[in-house]
Amino acid sequence: GEAVIVSIKKDVEGMNYRYRFALYHNERFIEPGKRCIVPCTPLACIKMIEYCGAYDRSLPVGKQLQGKVATVINRSEIVGRPLAAMLANDGAMVYSVDVTGVLIYQAGKVPGTIKVSETEVTRDEALRQSQVVVSGVPSEAFKVPTDALQQGVICINFAPMCNFEKEKVAEIGTLCPAIGKVTIAMLQRNLIRLYDNFAKGDRVEIGEGGGA
């Protein structure tokens, strides 16, 4: 789509082909001193998972979800797939679920690679293994089965309607039912990062009429 050719200097959503390449190769800088832009909604999910305590800050970057299992129910190019890659880049084993089945995302043996493999594991089996569950199914009828969730699970919903049974999940773990405000904050963060990367120090000339 057109998003992949938006200039890297203006792309607040991180959909330019250069940023996408960096994300799927675990490159955190596009050049020295200039951090990459990553998509706002997956980044908001990561920040909520971070806030809920899933990350082990005593470990180095790229290893802080080591030993953790996550399930992402959604494999869209905008949210689900990049989120699975980001979690894998941070050390998690990730079950990526959509209507076609389940795939596993995890860091490859070669640094900067992600291994994607098929599995016979079902959605509910994946859920039972997962300390983190993220869902974005745009359907009122869909609910993540609470009886398949672990005690202490962290659940993040990014669908327009809640994919979780709120009261039941609250009894066993932590639920973030919506991430819209955090997504907007990540958009602002990306905008500031673009400014720092490419515009900081540039001089703006103002004309007599007040126009640039």
Side-chain angles (χ1 to χ4, degrees):
E2 294 177 358
V4 301
I5 59 171
V6 172
S7 167
I8 61 170
K9 297 181 179 182
K10 299 178 181 180
D11 182 13
V12 292
E13 269 290 356
M15 298 304 291
N16 174 282
Y17 66 90
R18 180 65 186 88
Y19 290 134
R20 287 164 63 86
F21 179 91
L23 190 155
Y24 291 110
H25 290 80
N26 200 12
E27 295 177 6
R28 301 187 184 225
F29 294 83
I30 52 169
E31 58 185 73
K34 295 183 179 180
R35 295 189 67 89
C36 287
I37 302 297
V38 294
C40 300
T41 305
L43 182 58
C45 293
I46 292 289
K47 292 299 181 183
M48 292 306 301
I49 293 166
E50 237 181 289
Y51 180 79
C52 291
Y55 279 71
D56 183 348
R57 291 302 180 198
S58 69
L59 296 175
V61 171
K63 305 285 187 184
Q64 294 178 349
L65 287 178
Q66 206 164 48
K68 296 284 198 310
V69 178
T71 293
V72 179
I73 307 175
N74 178 293
R75 203 181 301 138
S76 69
E77 289 296 326
I78 297 172
V79 186
R81 187 165 175 253
L83 176 58
M86 291 163 74
L87 290 165
N89 284 342
D90 285 337
M93 187 181 84
V94 186
Y95 289 108
S96 172
V97 182
D98 74 356
V99 292
T100 65
V102 182
L103 296 175
I104 295 175
Y105 281 62
Q106 53 195 143
K109 291 181 180 179
V110 177
T113 62
I114 294 173
K115 180 183 177 184
V116 181
S117 52
E118 296 183 350
T119 178
E120 297 299 317
V121 171
T122 66
R123 182 199 68 188
D124 287 5
E125 288 170 344
L127 290 171
R128 289 189 180 95
Q129 297 178 40
S130 298
Q131 292 82 43
V132 175
V133 177
V134 184
S135 186
V137 179
S139 170
E140 290 280 5
F142 177 78
K143 295 292 180 188
V144 175
T146 307
D147 59 3
L149 298 176
Q150 286 189 15
Q151 192 76 27
V153 67
I154 297 168
C155 297
I156 311 291
N157 178 76
F158 67 85
M161 59 292 297
C162 192
N163 290 167
F164 296 90
E165 299 169 302
K166 293 181 181 180
E167 293 78 11
K168 291 182 180 179
V169 173
E171 293 176 4
I172 64 166
T174 302
L175 171 63
C176 176
I179 60 164
K181 291 181 179 179
V182 183
T183 302
I184 292 169
M186 295 305 101
L187 181 70
Q188 294 170 328
R189 171 189 183 272
N190 282 352
L191 182 60
I192 292 168
R193 181 158 288 174
L194 287 175
Y195 174 80
D196 287 341
N197 283 351
F198 302 111
K200 199 169 187 178
D202 285 359
R203 193 174 170 190
V204 178
E205 297 291 343
I206 305 298
E208 289 182 6

